Amino acid sequence: MIKLIAQRLALGLMTLFAASVLIFAGTEILPGDLASAILQTNATPESLAAMRKELGLDRPPTTRYVEWLSGAAHGNFGVSLANKRDVAEEIAPRLQNTIFLALYAALIAVPLAVALGLLAAVNQGGFYDRLVNVVTLMTVSVPEYFVAYILIKYLAVQLGWFPSLANVTPDTPLLERMNLTFLPMLTLVLVITGHMMRMTRASVLSVMASPYIEMALLKGLPKWRIVVQHAFPNALAPIINVIALDLAYLIVGVVIVEAVFVYPGLGQLMVDAVSKHDVPVVQACGLIFAVIYILLNMTADILAIMSNPRLRHPR
């Protein structure tokens, strides 16, 4: 098992290196460069050459990439072009906001999805199973921005139960923060619960077709007990994988939700940085998203290996 985990770690590092190359290359091929973005309409050939030399853009891209990656590994992402602040200091509170929203949604979505999936498996083919399948299929099929606008229209505008804008600050108390971010959290929960619930149901039903489950049924054990005690533990590997992917989405894919609710998270910061051509911030956000996504997937792989004997001892 240690060898498999070491292989996953090595593969994760290689993937992260490839992602860093793509992020740096992607910002390099954008129209214009940093010097043009800074000088804008005041740019002249002489001022552009001087600015490129000052920023180090006259050096080979490989040299700048190595310096950028080395600085990022030590937490130094450079200086923002928009406000001249340290990028790491600017990103830190935004990353905390994004992680808070992701944890808020995950704490509700994961147990809810697993419980709904187990109940659907216990009641396979019944009214509850069909109802939950239809509802979750609808939430999976609808884009998150549409869900967000529907929630704003009815829960914020018409009923006035929750604020439509999630404008939080570092000094916002926890309960007030939870109230302000309730609609973004609910949007994310509705979007990801369907995925996890359907995977839980499918994985458990796949295990339910095993001979030892049929033997348990013939012995007269209650179906709920068979599902919870025997089928669910053996269906954990694919469930863990889909939960990890959805948790990665909660942090990496919340750009649209943060933009709709004007939530000061990392996704909103990245959107603003792209519009301002603030390349150091865009590169830092992209690299942090890649690290989080790869880390969660690697964790899911390791947990799947630990929970499944067939993965620990492949033939």
Side-chain angles (χ1 to χ4, degrees):
M1 186 174 70
I2 295 177
K3 182 180 178 181
L4 288 173
I5 292 175
Q7 289 176 346
R8 293 295 192 279
L9 291 174
L11 186 61
L13 290 175
M14 291 172 60
T15 307
L16 181 59
F17 174 73
S20 69
V21 172
L22 289 176
I23 291 168
F24 187 84
T27 52
E28 282 290 305
I29 62 176
L30 288 175
D33 57 14
L34 296 181
S36 303
I38 294 173
L39 295 174
Q40 298 182 354
T41 56
N42 299 322
T44 62
E46 294 77 14
S47 61
L48 277 174
M51 183 60 71
R52 285 181 179 130
K53 186 175 181 180
E54 180 182 344
L55 295 173
L57 298 179
D58 55 338
R59 294 176 298 163
T62 51
T63 304
R64 289 185 281 118
Y65 167 74
V66 171
E67 290 181 357
W68 171 71
L69 190 61
S70 175
H74 292 84
N76 179 15
F77 294 101
V79 178
S80 168
L81 300 178
N83 52 25
K84 305 300 180 186
R85 289 182 58 194
D86 185 83
V87 174
E89 292 180 359
E90 189 172 4
I91 282 179
R94 298 299 193 101
L95 181 60
Q96 290 176 4
N97 288 340
T98 296
I99 291 176
F100 172 81
L101 180 59
L103 289 176
Y104 190 14
L107 287 175
I108 295 175
V110 173
L112 178 65
V114 172
L116 291 176
L118 291 177
L119 286 173
V122 171
N123 299 284
Q124 182 190 9
F127 173 76
Y128 170 79
D129 184 27
R130 295 177 184 177
L131 176 65
V132 170
N133 270 297
V134 170
V135 173
T136 54
L137 186 61
M138 288 172 59
T139 59
V140 170
S141 306
V142 178
E144 55 263 46
Y145 67 85
F146 184 77
V147 176
Y149 285 127
I150 291 294
L151 293 177
I152 289 174
K153 176 177 173 57
Y154 290 102
L155 297 184
V157 177
Q158 292 193 0
L159 299 175
W161 289 352
F162 303 100
S164 58
L165 299 180
N167 190 14
V168 299
T169 65
D171 300 326
T172 304
L174 178 61
L175 291 179
E176 185 180 351
R177 179 183 287 258
M178 292 176 68
N179 182 53
L180 289 170
T181 56
F182 185 83
L183 290 186
M185 177 277 296
L186 186 57
T187 303
L188 294 172
V189 168
L190 290 175
V191 170
I192 67 170
T193 298
H195 289 108
M196 292 188 287
M197 174 266 160
R198 295 175 72 83
M199 179 56 73
T200 301
R201 176 185 178 276
S203 301
V204 170
L205 289 180
S206 175
V207 176
M208 291 287 286
S210 304
Y212 74 93
I213 297 293
E214 294 181 5
M215 178 60 70
L217 288 170
L218 291 174
K219 284 184 175 180
L221 290 177
K223 194 173 183 180
W224 66 267
R225 184 177 171 185
I226 295 173
V227 168
V228 174
Q229 292 188 354
H230 301 284
F232 179 60
N234 290 302
L236 271 179
I239 296 173
I240 290 173
N241 271 319
V242 76
I243 288 176
L245 287 175
D246 282 317
L247 292 180
Y249 164 78
L250 285 178
I251 297 178
V252 178
V254 296
V255 177
I256 296 176
V257 175
E258 289 183 356
V260 170
F261 291 98
V262 199
Y263 182 67
L266 198 58
Q268 180 67 39
L269 176 64
M270 189 173 181
V271 172
D272 294 340
V274 170
S275 64
K276 297 173 183 174
H277 206 89
D278 197 347
V279 175
V281 176
V282 175
Q283 290 175 335
C285 291
L287 190 61
I288 290 173
F289 283 147
V291 169
I292 293 172
Y293 193 85
I294 293 170
L295 190 62
L296 285 173
N297 276 277
M298 200 164 56
T299 304
D301 282 348
I302 293 173
L303 290 177
I305 292 171
M306 295 174 66
S307 65
N308 192 337
R310 287 175 296 182
L311 296 177
R312 291 202 300 269
H313 307 287
R315 293 181 178 177

